[in-house]
């Protein structure tokens, strides 16, 4: 009975560590989803702004859509290209900043 009593605290510690690891795993995923949602909202707002102010972009998007409907060769989708360019610019800006504040914030969110 004493030997079993000595093992119980170790078992409780293991269960507590597993619980904390599971919480960290879920928290990291939650943070990732928040970042994805924020990036998509920012991308959508930026691309919408570009297309609402630039008549050439509107015309290119309309022409591409009509061409696709008619079954012609669609070429490059200007809306998709605008989103791709947004994310390329965003990645370059993050890389150029050299700031690790986002990583620090992610660590703080876990703790």
């Amino acid at each position: 009975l004493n030997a079993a009593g000595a093992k119980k605290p170790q078992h409780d510690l293991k269960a507590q560590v597993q619980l904390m690891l599971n919480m960290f795993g879920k928290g990291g995923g939650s943070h990732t989803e928040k970042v994805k949602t924020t990036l998509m909202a920012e991308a959508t707002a930026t691309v919408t702004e570009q297309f609402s102010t630039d008549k050439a972009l509107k015309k290119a998007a309309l022409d591409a859509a009509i061409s696709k409907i008619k079954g012609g060769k669609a070429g490059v989708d200007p809306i998709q290209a605008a989103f791709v360019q947004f994310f390329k610019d965003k990645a370059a800006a993050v890389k150029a900043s050299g700031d690790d504040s986002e990583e620090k914030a992610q660590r703080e969110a876990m703790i």
Side-chain angles (χ1 to χ4, degrees), residues 27-43 86-87 90 94 102-103 105-106 109:
S30 172
H31 179 72
T32 302
E33 288 302 316
K34 287 178 187 175
V35 170
K36 283 182 190 178
T37 302
T38 303
L39 278 173
M40 283 307 299
E42 186 179 348
F86 170 83
F87 286 111
K90 192 69 161 173
V94 168
E102 190 170 325
E103 290 176 15
Q106 196 172 19

Side-chain angles (χ1 to χ4, degrees), residues 73-85:
K73 188 173 181 180
V76 177
D77 180 8
I79 297 172
Q80 181 183 5
F83 275 99
V84 168
Q85 188 60 48

Side-chain angles (χ1 to χ4, degrees), residues 59-71 74 76-79:
K59 183 174 177 355
L62 182 61
D63 290 345
I66 290 171
S67 175
K68 195 174 241 184
I69 289 171
K70 287 183 176 180
V76 177
D77 180 8
I79 297 172

Side-chain angles (χ1 to χ4, degrees), residues 33-62:
E33 288 302 316
K34 287 178 187 175
V35 170
K36 283 182 190 178
T37 302
T38 303
L39 278 173
M40 283 307 299
E42 186 179 348
T44 302
T46 301
V47 171
T48 300
E49 154 101 33
Q50 287 175 354
F51 276 83
S52 66
T53 58
D54 191 346
K55 290 185 180 187
L57 285 175
K58 283 183 189 179
K59 183 174 177 355
L62 182 61

